[in-house]
Amino acid sequence: MQDKMQKIISLCKRRGFVFVSSEIYGGFSAIYDLGPLGVELANNIKRVWWKSMVQEREDIVGLDSCIFMHPKTWEASGHVTGFSDPLAECKECHTRLRADHLLEEVGIRADEKMSEEEIAEIFKKNKEKIKCPNCQEKGNFTDVKKFNLLVKSNLGNFTDDWQKEPSYLRGETCQGIYLNFKNVLSSSRMKIPFGVAQIGKAFRNEITARQFIFRTREFEQMEMQYFCSPQEEMQEYEKLRKFRWQWYIDLGITQENLKWHQHENLVFYAKEAYDIEYNFPFGFSEIEGIHARGDYDLTQHSKFSKQDLSYVDHRTNEIYIPHIIEASSGVGRIMLAFLCDAYSEEGDRIVLKLKPALASYKVAVFPLLANKPELVAKAREVFEMLKTDFTCAWDDRGNIGKRYYSQDEIGTPFCITVDFQTLQDQTVTIRDRDTTQQERIKISELKSILEKK
Ligand code: ATP
């Protein structure tokens, strides 16, 4: 299965989905850039998420808060003291590793939510069984320490010891939603229950950077926080779980490759927490967290900001701190899940069976022969006509078979070929990526047929 992962990583590089950041300087660990096809795919993922979350829902509005927030935000949220992963260092090669991941590899379930003492104890007991994944040395590790994941900066601090009072790059986007709760309420007609959705960058000093774009230090999150009354929290939570599960199914993810993972160790304030996991080539792993968070977030921000964040519910005249349920996912992780799920090999043909809504290019246009100016001119005409409505690729290199294969590999659902018959009767062939069947259709009907498909 790791072999499949290698194939996907190589496809991503070869065809311009994902590049290692700063590659000419030897790369920068756990940071990746999106190439021409990757940015289209990521934009499509974000677009369909936004459409289902904001555009089609009257009870959810959007927000775009900044990466930097008042440093108190992260004290209130608990991140300054509690946002950490357990770190152990190999004494032989000095590689820093996640202790919970090392334990998991020898079949012992540990959790980043356990206390430092708890996890250090379990690690100590089992350390002889554990091998360093880098140098293969067995059992030679330092004691486990918790390592804070917040990335610090000197923004707005012009002193040399800025580390004492740093500002943080946000570790999650949702804090910006909590801070704007009152603003959204007073500037819109939203009434509880309602949600605020946001897409944006987040940063975490991840200890181990593993599995390509699955875990990166800079990544993009898509988060929706839904504010509700204490009584309706769990009912809304169940609705949200169903809604988010269906989103993946509608976008063509194989159902057997998805599963729910219920958190056993809940943080003290949480009512319930489930993750949606995808069956990556390296095993089932989280792609989205759906959590019922109680009134913790707004209570904390109320306390630290000394602002009243309570809500008067006109349905019942009750006054309460709103409870929050959230759906939180990462664009890169979801993109990797879609790529893994869509990747297939049929003989010598590699096909990315992405739904058209996600595919980087919706359509490719080819002149049958590149050295016949009349075919090229006609094909350009078709390309120009389509490009305002669809992301289109143009290809006139090599033979048609190779061009089809090249588009299959990047998931383009439809290829249109302009041939000699086109010049006679204004028809083109349209070839379907998944069936490889070709149909002849009139140029005048192309747009409406593509829209339907
Ligand atoms: P993990 O246990 O894998 O570190 P998490 O439980 O810390 O993840 P959350 O804080 O719940 O993750 O973040 C919500 C979502 O954001 C995750 O489901 C994932 O899709 C995405 N995400 C979190 N951390 C990263 C990361 N380092 N790189 C890419 N995506 C991430």
Side-chain angles (χ1 to χ4, degrees):
M1 284 301 263
Q2 282 294 1
D3 184 39
K4 179 172 173 187
M5 196 61 209
Q6 284 315 315
K7 287 179 181 172
I8 288 167
I9 293 173
S10 130
L11 170 70
C12 283
K13 164 95 206 277
R14 190 172 69 248
R15 299 305 307 271
F17 284 97
V18 179
F19 302 134
V20 169
S21 160
S22 328
E23 202 176 2
I24 60 166
Y25 288 107
F28 196 48
S29 182
I31 309 275
Y32 290 91
D33 296 334
L34 294 178
L37 294 185
V39 66
E40 295 292 345
L41 175 55
N43 281 345
N44 291 337
I45 291 171
K46 290 186 269 182
R47 194 173 302 122
V48 287
W49 185 88
W50 195 263
K51 184 164 182 276
S52 91
M53 215 42 125
V54 180
Q55 189 184 331
E56 293 175 356
R57 300 237 346 203
E58 281 175 58
D59 58 339
I60 303 180
V61 289
L63 181 81
D64 188 9
S65 69
C66 283
I67 285 170
F68 285 100
M69 282 170 258
H70 195 289
K72 272 234 153 63
T73 308
W74 304 103
E75 284 176 42
S77 67
H79 283 75
V80 172
T81 49
F83 189 47
S84 52
D85 280 339
L87 175 141
E89 193 174 315
C90 171
K91 287 188 190 164
E92 185 62 29
C93 68
H94 301 290
T95 304
R96 291 179 174 169
L97 300 151
R98 278 262 305 252
D100 53 335
H101 290 163
L102 291 173
L103 284 165
E104 225 171 83
E105 268 156 35
V106 294
I108 298 158
R109 185 121 198 164
D111 195 305
E112 77 267 22
K113 297 198 181 65
M114 287 176 175
S115 72
E116 182 166 336
E117 293 74 32
E118 255 178 298
I119 209 156
E121 189 58 38
I122 300 177
F123 193 80
K124 216 175 198 169
K125 264 195 208 148
N126 293 284
K127 137 167 144 171
E128 294 313 316
K129 297 183 211 157
I130 299 171
K131 251 193 206 164
C132 169
N134 187 43
C135 70
Q136 310 301 318
E137 170 94 353
K138 225 173 179 183
N140 197 9
F141 299 98
T142 59
D143 286 341
V144 173
K145 270 201 220 108
K146 286 262 183 170
F147 180 81
N148 194 289
L149 302 183
L150 281 179
V151 178
K152 291 176 185 161
S153 91
N154 66 345
L155 187 94
N157 186 328
F158 305 97
T159 63
D160 285 336
D161 55 357
W162 60 269
Q163 293 241 21
K164 285 189 189 145
E165 283 180 85
S167 23
Y168 301 95
L169 278 75
R170 64 183 175 196
E172 56 183 20
T173 55
C174 56
Q175 296 300 328
I177 297 181
Y178 306 147
L179 302 198
N180 280 295
F181 167 70
K182 280 257 143 158
N183 285 335
V184 172
L185 208 57
S186 63
S187 61
S188 67
R189 295 166 152 264
M190 304 315 279
K191 289 198 169 53
I192 275 180
F194 76 93
V196 180
Q198 153 155 269
I199 300 177
K201 290 274 179 142
F203 303 81
R204 295 183 187 179
N205 249 332
E206 297 282 359
I207 298 167
T208 38
R210 296 192 307 176
Q211 283 116 8
F212 193 41
I213 52 170
F214 178 82
R215 186 180 303 287
T216 52
R217 295 194 175 124
E218 173 178 342
F219 57 100
E220 208 164 12
Q221 283 191 314
M222 304 191 287
E223 296 201 289
M224 196 281 294
Q225 306 291 313
Y226 202 75
F227 301 91
C228 43
S229 73
Q231 295 83 353
E232 63 202 351
E233 180 178 4
M234 293 320 289
Q235 188 188 332
E236 289 298 337
Y237 179 66
E238 286 312 316
K239 279 203 255 171
L240 183 62
R241 283 218 297 140
K242 284 206 188 99
F243 183 72
R244 290 302 305 146
W245 179 270
Q246 196 56 39
W247 186 79
Y248 291 100
I249 304 297
D250 292 346
L251 285 170
I253 285 249
T254 315
Q255 184 140 346
E256 295 72 57
N257 282 338
L258 284 184
K259 76 170 188 200
W260 286 108
H261 165 73
Q262 186 176 14
H263 287 217
E264 286 150 22
N265 288 311
L266 285 179
V267 278
F268 70 92
Y269 52 81
K271 295 270 187 59
E272 187 108 79
Y274 276 87
D275 296 333
I276 297 180
E277 294 189 339
Y278 177 76
N279 189 13
F280 289 99
F282 45 84
F284 273 101
S285 306
E286 171 181 342
I287 49 174
E288 171 157 353
I290 301 167
H291 306 153
R293 304 180 52 85
D295 64 1
Y296 176 76
D297 305 292
L298 290 187
T299 303
Q300 286 297 100
H301 287 303
S302 232
K303 217 186 273 170
F304 277 74
S305 67
K306 302 194 172 59
Q307 301 282 318
D308 179 11
L309 298 179
S310 60
Y311 175 81
V312 183
D313 194 324
H314 294 290
R315 296 171 299 180
T316 57
N317 288 328
E318 265 181 292
I319 300 174
Y320 54 81
I321 295 277
H323 283 222
I324 291 173
I325 57 174
E326 71 170 0
S328 169
S329 58
V331 178
R333 262 192 210 183
I334 289 183
M335 178 164 148
L336 186 60
F338 280 124
L339 286 170
C340 292
D341 215 63
Y343 183 90
S344 61
E345 290 174 0
E346 295 175 359
D348 58 350
R349 193 169 84 103
I350 294 172
V351 195
L352 272 190
K353 294 192 167 173
L354 290 167
K355 280 253 168 182
L358 296 179
S360 303
Y361 292 125
K362 309 299 179 211
V363 53
V365 181
F366 314 144
L368 180 66
L369 298 169
N371 58 0
K372 296 282 173 217
E374 61 278 32
L375 289 183
V376 174
K378 192 70 196 169
R380 288 291 327 166
E381 216 180 88
V382 173
F383 180 81
E384 294 295 327
M385 176 188 87
L386 295 177
K387 79 173 189 198
T388 49
D389 294 310
F390 308 96
T391 41
C392 286
W394 168 266
D395 196 357
D396 56 10
R397 299 160 308 166
N399 65 40
I400 283 283
K402 277 203 183 129
R403 292 184 218 159
Y404 283 152
Y405 273 34
S406 166
Q407 294 300 324
D408 289 344
E409 197 184 42
I410 58 172
T412 310
F414 307 106
C415 292
I416 289 162
T417 304
V418 168
D419 55 17
F420 290 105
Q421 193 179 327
T422 312
L423 305 178
Q424 311 291 321
D425 64 2
Q426 304 295 315
T427 64
V428 290
T429 63
I430 176 165
R431 177 219 185 236
D432 183 292
R433 174 194 70 199
D434 298 339
T435 62
T436 71
Q437 296 298 312
Q438 293 180 32
E439 256 182 280
R440 262 213 109 79
I441 58 172
K442 289 194 187 126
I443 293 177
S444 57
E445 288 168 6
L446 247 182
K447 262 194 188 180
S448 66
I449 288 173
L450 282 172
E451 253 151 34
K452 249 186 246 147
K453 285 185 189 267

